[in-house]
């Protein structure tokens, strides 16, 4: 919705003073304009010397009385309509950047905010980006129903918001995939990563449904934009998911055979495997 400059001024008056501001302003302007135009016309068209006594006064009274009655009613209707349209526009704008299920930013809203945040990055702050998705989400939906899947998405979104929103923004990229971007001191970002891993790597939905998630993080490097930053976090997520999958397989083999299986490939700092092919997301 695009308002004209006059409409925008009326709307601004309405926001500051309610309907009284625009009504008073427009009414005074209408009465003054009507009186001025009427007096000019009367002096140019009517011979006041030969006219009936009081002709000018009566004309001015009518000219001032009509807008004094009509203008307040008209302006009140217009400003109320503009206010409603403005409120509807703000609601639609908010909905266009919000995920309807979880209430966090949707992909469009997240990337719009994140791109601006990187441009305005404070050199004294550390930026932390993260990607998170739920493990075996399709299996969860198939076994427990889509309602359980929705509850898992709502829960992980709630956990992420509680941890991240003091420092930045959480967004749902689609399906069971979430992203976040935060900025703060090195200590704050280190604590934030720990909190997100601790709260979101394993949580419960309802009273008995256990859900696990994988997390990848990254920090900006020279020349990074939001796409490359999240791409590295996504790669980190895949390595974490692959490392967890390998660990579960080896643990199962150990239980079944009674032997200890040594993992192929070292695990780097932060518990992420240095090598390994991408595992499909569930």
């Amino acid at each position: 919705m695009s308002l004209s400059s006059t409409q925008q001024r009326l709307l601004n008056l309405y926001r500051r003073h309610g309907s009284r501001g625009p009504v008073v302003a427009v009414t005074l302007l209408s009465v003054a304009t009507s009186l001025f135009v009427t007096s000019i016309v009367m002096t140019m068209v009517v011979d006041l010397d030969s006219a009936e006594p009081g002709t000018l006064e009566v004309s001015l009274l009518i000219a001032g009385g009509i807008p004094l009655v009509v203008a307040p009613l008209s302006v009140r209707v217009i400003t109320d309509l503009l206010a409603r349209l403005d409120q509807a526009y703000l609601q639609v704008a908010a909905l266009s950047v919000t995920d309807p299920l979880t209430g966090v930013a949707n992909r469009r809203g997240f990337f719009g905010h994140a791109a601006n945040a990187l441009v305005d990055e404070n050199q004294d702050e550390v930026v932390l980006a993260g990607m998170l998705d739920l493990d075996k989400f399709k299996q969860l939906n198939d076994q427990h129903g889509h309602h359980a899947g929705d509850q898992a998405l709502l829960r992980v979104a709630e956990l992420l918001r509680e941890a991240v929103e003091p420092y930045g923004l959480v967004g749902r990229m689609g399906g069971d995939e979430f992203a976040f971007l935060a900025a703060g001191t090195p200590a704050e970002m280190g604590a934030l990563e720990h909190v997100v891993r601790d709260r979101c790597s394993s949580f419960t939905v309802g009273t008995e449904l256990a859900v696990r998630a994988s997390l990848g993080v990254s920090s900006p490097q020279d020349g990074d934009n939001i796409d490359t930053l999240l791409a590295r976090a996504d790669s980190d997520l895949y390595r974490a998911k692959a490392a967890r999958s390998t660990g579960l397989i080896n643990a199962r083999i150990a239980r079944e055979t009674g032997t200890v299986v040594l993992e192929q490939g070292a695990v780097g700092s932060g518990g992420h495997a240095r090598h390994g092919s991408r595992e499909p997301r569930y």
Side-chain angles (χ1 to χ4, degrees), residues 110-112 114-115 118 129 180-181 224-232:
F110 180 84
F111 273 91
L118 284 182
F180 67 84
L181 185 73
D224 262 346
N225 56 36
I226 186 59
D227 293 314
T228 56
L229 183 61
L230 289 180
R232 281 204 313 278

Side-chain angles (χ1 to χ4, degrees), residues 1-280:
M1 181 183 67
S2 179
L3 300 179
S4 69
S5 59
T6 301
Q7 291 171 332
Q8 191 62 56
R9 291 191 187 98
L10 285 174
L11 187 57
N12 291 336
L13 275 173
Y14 182 90
R15 288 170 175 167
R16 288 197 297 268
H17 307 290
S19 59
R20 180 178 299 178
V23 166
V24 171
V26 174
T27 299
L28 291 177
L29 180 62
S30 299
V31 170
T33 302
S34 180
L35 291 174
F36 176 75
V37 172
T38 301
S39 62
I40 295 296
V41 171
M42 288 294 293
T43 56
M44 294 178 60
V45 175
V46 179
D47 185 1
L48 296 178
D49 294 333
S50 60
E52 292 290 333
T55 299
L56 178 60
E57 290 76 5
V58 172
S59 300
L60 292 177
L61 182 62
I62 295 173
I66 292 176
L68 192 63
V69 174
V70 174
L73 298 176
S74 302
V75 174
R76 186 180 293 274
V77 170
I78 293 172
T79 52
D80 285 347
L81 179 59
L82 287 175
R84 292 182 183 181
L85 289 174
D86 182 60
Q87 186 62 33
Y89 170 76
L90 293 176
Q91 291 175 351
V92 170
L95 288 173
S96 71
V97 294
T98 303
D99 176 58
L101 174 63
T102 62
V104 302
N106 62 16
R107 188 180 187 90
R108 175 186 177 188
F110 180 84
F111 273 91
H113 172 88
N116 293 331
L118 284 182
V119 171
D120 300 333
E121 178 185 351
N122 188 333
Q123 297 301 319
D124 296 329
E125 292 184 328
V126 173
V127 173
L128 181 70
M131 295 288 293
L132 178 145
D133 72 5
L134 303 183
D135 295 340
K136 299 183 179 180
F137 183 65
K138 183 178 184 301
Q139 181 177 326
L140 185 153
N141 274 325
D142 291 343
Q143 292 183 355
H144 301 280
H146 288 284
H147 177 72
D150 288 347
Q151 293 304 305
L153 294 173
L154 285 167
R155 182 58 179 153
V156 75
E158 179 185 21
L159 293 171
L160 283 172
R161 292 180 72 169
E162 290 175 354
V164 174
E165 286 196 345
Y167 308 101
L169 179 72
V170 176
R172 183 183 177 196
M173 300 295 98
D176 62 319
E177 186 177 65
F178 292 82
F180 67 84
L181 185 73
T185 66
E188 288 172 336
M189 293 301 96
L192 175 61
E193 180 181 351
H194 175 76
V195 168
V196 172
R197 289 189 188 280
D198 181 61
R199 293 184 182 179
C200 299
S201 61
S202 180
F203 58 93
T204 302
V205 175
T207 58
E208 56 185 24
L209 181 58
V211 181
R212 303 192 70 173
S214 297
L215 172 71
V217 297
S218 66
S219 292
Q221 299 175 359
D222 290 342
D224 262 346
N225 56 36
I226 186 59
D227 293 314
T228 56
L229 183 61
L230 289 180
R232 281 204 313 278
D234 199 41
S235 296
D236 192 47
L237 183 154
Y238 274 116
R239 288 193 295 270
K241 190 180 286 288
R244 174 178 289 178
S245 178
T246 301
L248 291 174
I249 292 172
N250 289 340
R252 187 187 66 191
I253 294 174
R255 288 195 304 270
E256 293 175 352
T257 64
T259 61
V260 176
V261 180
L262 297 178
E263 294 188 16
Q264 296 289 327
V267 176
S269 61
H272 304 312
R274 292 197 188 117
H275 303 287
S277 60
R278 289 192 171 189
E279 295 291 326

